[in-house]
Amino acid sequence: MYIIIALTVIFIAIKVPAYRSVGSIINIVSLTASRLPIALGVGGCIVLAGTDISAGRAVGLAAVIAASLTIAGNKIFPGLEPMSPIIALGAAVAATCCIGLVNGIFVSKFKLHPFIVTLSTQLITYGVILIYMKMGTNNGQTLSGLSESYRSMITAPLFTINNTAVPMYVLYAVILTAVMWVIWNKTTFGKNMFAVGSNEEAALVSGVNVSRTIIMVFIMAGFMYGLTGFIDGARIASVNANTGLNYEADAIAACVIGGVSFVGGTGKISGVVVGVLLLQVIFTGLNFLSVDPNLLYIIKGLIILVACAIDMRKYLVKK
């Protein structure tokens, strides 16, 4: 998979010189940073031999909540002045952590498959978004006109290279990645997560609180979705009911490319980062080639299919 992607990137770089420019590289890094938190959240669910297809809608809910609390001329809450971005962040993260809690409880306590649980919460969350967007006098309209304090917190220049700014959220993504690396590799919780993903029954016999571990992984994922939505709202500068649509597909593809196995118990933070980066590199390149946007969905689906097939083949060979 890496070889195929590398050859594709080399071809695009030769065909379109602008793809190699500083501006293009910074754009790829920025897009990677914006999608990294959701991939880190989904990665933990995949380590448990599960998945989370409610991730994209959870991101959308977080973005809608953050925007509705920081917008000028608020139609959802008429008369409400723009609130502090910190309060908006807290509300957005609280909502997505609740979604993660629900997912975790139904997976761990009721022994339902994560696909079924997160499919259900995906639909529920989308319904909540649609209802929320119709509150007050908004009537489902796109939320724009976000407060400058909110936008600058996310998009203010971190530093500039050749007159091209690297946004502040790149730093946030680096910090989140470092924190998640510590959690996955240096804490008892991280070790328990991999133990449960490898063999749930063996982990239970070894004294691991399996239910609590599963619930905490999904809550942690919900926290990451909240951060993704908060960043995305300010980055795009407008939010609607379809914000976050199909984000979970990108996150799952990135994790699988990065070596996080659906078999469970296998994965590295560095792999997730590489997976997200490679996806942005290849899809940015395809945009430079003016490939039909509809075709990108087909390519993305094929990447997931091929990566999973290779992963399963490796597992069967080891077995």
Side-chain angles (χ1 to χ4, degrees), residues 196-230:
V196 172
S198 296
N199 191 320
E200 186 175 320
E201 292 183 5
L204 185 62
V205 172
S206 301
V208 175
N209 189 326
V210 173
S211 293
R212 184 172 65 187
T213 300
I214 293 173
I215 290 172
M216 287 304 298
V217 168
F218 277 97
I219 291 176
M220 184 169 65
F223 180 81
M224 303 305 283
Y225 306 155
L227 293 178
T228 305
F230 183 78

Side-chain angles (χ1 to χ4, degrees), residues 29-101:
V29 170
S30 300
L31 288 173
T32 300
S34 69
R35 296 299 179 91
L36 195 51
I38 184 175
L40 293 172
V42 171
C45 301
I46 297 177
V47 167
L48 291 178
T51 188
D52 188 350
I53 59 173
S54 68
R57 292 305 185 187
V59 168
L61 178 62
V64 166
I65 291 173
S68 68
L69 296 179
T70 58
I71 193 173
N74 204 320
K75 292 183 179 180
I76 290 182
F77 303 110
L80 180 69
E81 293 298 319
M83 301 178 72
S84 165
I86 301 300
I87 295 176
L89 173 61
V93 168
T96 52
C97 282
C98 286
I99 295 172
L101 175 62

Side-chain angles (χ1 to χ4, degrees), residues 268-283:
K268 294 180 180 180
I269 292 295
S270 58
V272 176
V273 175
V274 170
V276 176
L277 177 60
L278 286 177
L279 271 188
Q280 297 308 322
V281 164
I282 191 168
F283 285 116

Side-chain angles (χ1 to χ4, degrees), residues 47-246:
V47 167
L48 291 178
T51 188
D52 188 350
I53 59 173
S54 68
R57 292 305 185 187
V59 168
L61 178 62
V64 166
I65 291 173
S68 68
L69 296 179
T70 58
I71 193 173
N74 204 320
K75 292 183 179 180
I76 290 182
F77 303 110
L80 180 69
E81 293 298 319
M83 301 178 72
S84 165
I86 301 300
I87 295 176
L89 173 61
V93 168
T96 52
C97 282
C98 286
I99 295 172
L101 175 62
V102 171
N103 287 338
I105 288 174
F106 276 90
V107 171
S108 64
K109 299 295 185 181
F110 294 91
K111 304 301 178 185
L112 297 178
H113 195 283
F115 178 84
I116 298 300
V117 174
T118 57
L119 173 62
S120 302
T121 52
Q122 179 196 59
L123 296 172
I124 293 169
T125 303
Y126 185 45
V128 170
I129 292 172
L130 293 175
I131 292 170
Y132 191 92
M133 292 287 285
K134 286 184 174 293
M135 288 174 57
T137 58
N138 191 61
N139 198 29
Q141 298 176 42
T142 297
L143 302 178
S144 57
L146 309 181
S147 69
E148 187 58 34
S149 59
Y150 172 31
R151 292 210 63 209
S152 63
M153 181 179 177
I154 302 300
T155 60
L158 181 61
F159 56 86
T160 303
I161 302 176
N162 286 4
N163 297 320
T164 304
V166 176
M168 187 65 69
Y169 61 83
V170 172
L171 174 61
Y172 302 152
V174 171
I175 294 171
L176 283 173
T177 302
V179 170
M180 290 297 286
W181 183 88
V182 171
I183 292 173
W184 278 32
N185 297 286
K186 300 297 181 180
T187 66
T188 302
F189 167 74
K191 294 175 182 177
N192 290 345
M193 178 180 73
F194 282 97
V196 172
S198 296
N199 191 320
E200 186 175 320
E201 292 183 5
L204 185 62
V205 172
S206 301
V208 175
N209 189 326
V210 173
S211 293
R212 184 172 65 187
T213 300
I214 293 173
I215 290 172
M216 287 304 298
V217 168
F218 277 97
I219 291 176
M220 184 169 65
F223 180 81
M224 303 305 283
Y225 306 155
L227 293 178
T228 305
F230 183 78
I231 290 171
D232 235 38
R235 183 178 69 88
I236 300 172
S238 65
V239 175
N240 58 44
N242 286 323
T243 299
L245 178 65
N246 290 329

